[in-house]
Amino acid sequence: GIGSTLLPEISFNYLGQWDREMNAGTMSMSGFPTGFQVSPQSERPHALDIVGSVMDGKLTLSVTYDEQEYRDSTMQGLLDNYKEQLLSIIEHCMQQNETELTPSDVSIEPLSLDMFEKLLTQLEEL
């Protein structure tokens, strides 16, 4: 269909948690600046490039975007909202006394929340 030719406008790349590697002494962060990830002259494949990693128990997100297309204040608002939602999820999870299944626990293939809820309902009825 037509939808299959559309490319996502947001790229999210989680690089992982680096605490153990750093503590083991196998790797260390360079003090040198990384420079541009993509040439400023090249056409951007995504409107937003979001890269996340965890270091020293802290999540760091960096957002790369076209300043002609987005204001800095808009991007700051996006990150503030992301942080607020993330803290809300953490608070919810901390209040749970029992573990709960999520779609990624039961399927390798992408599973919609609607289908996941139907499967849970069917399991409870058994």
Side-chain angles (χ1 to χ4, degrees):
I2 296 172
S4 62
T5 62
L6 296 177
L7 296 174
E9 292 192 25
I10 299 174
S11 167
F12 188 96
N13 187 11
Y14 175 62
L15 301 179
Q17 186 166 345
W18 294 89
D19 299 52
R20 279 174 291 175
E21 288 81 357
M22 297 300 177
N23 291 337
T26 55
M27 301 178 79
S28 63
M29 292 298 285
S30 169
F32 294 103
T34 58
F36 292 108
Q37 295 180 14
V38 178
S39 167
Q41 282 79 37
S42 67
E43 185 177 339
R44 305 185 61 77
H46 304 100
L48 299 178
D49 280 299
I50 304 172
V51 177
S53 63
V54 173
M55 182 85 64
D56 296 328
K58 295 178 182 176
L59 173 65
T60 300
L61 292 179
S62 68
V63 181
T64 307
Y65 57 94
D66 185 350
E67 291 180 328
Q68 303 295 322
E69 192 170 354
Y70 296 102
R71 294 189 184 100
D72 290 345
S73 59
T74 302
M75 291 298 102
Q76 189 59 56
L78 173 71
L79 289 175
D80 290 344
N81 188 271
Y82 187 93
K83 179 179 179 180
E84 184 181 325
Q85 298 301 322
L86 200 54
L87 289 173
S88 175
I89 292 169
I90 292 169
E91 183 179 348
H92 168 78
C93 291
M94 295 295 286
Q95 291 173 354
Q96 301 307 305
N97 295 322
E98 299 177 1
T99 58
E100 294 183 12
L101 288 175
T102 66
S104 62
D105 293 324
V106 296
S107 176
I108 296 173
E109 297 297 319
L111 185 64
S112 72
L113 283 176
D114 287 341
M115 183 60 74
F116 178 67
E117 293 293 336
K118 287 178 185 174
L119 288 174
L120 281 182
T121 303
Q122 290 173 357
L123 284 173
E124 289 167 1
E125 291 173 355
L126 292 178

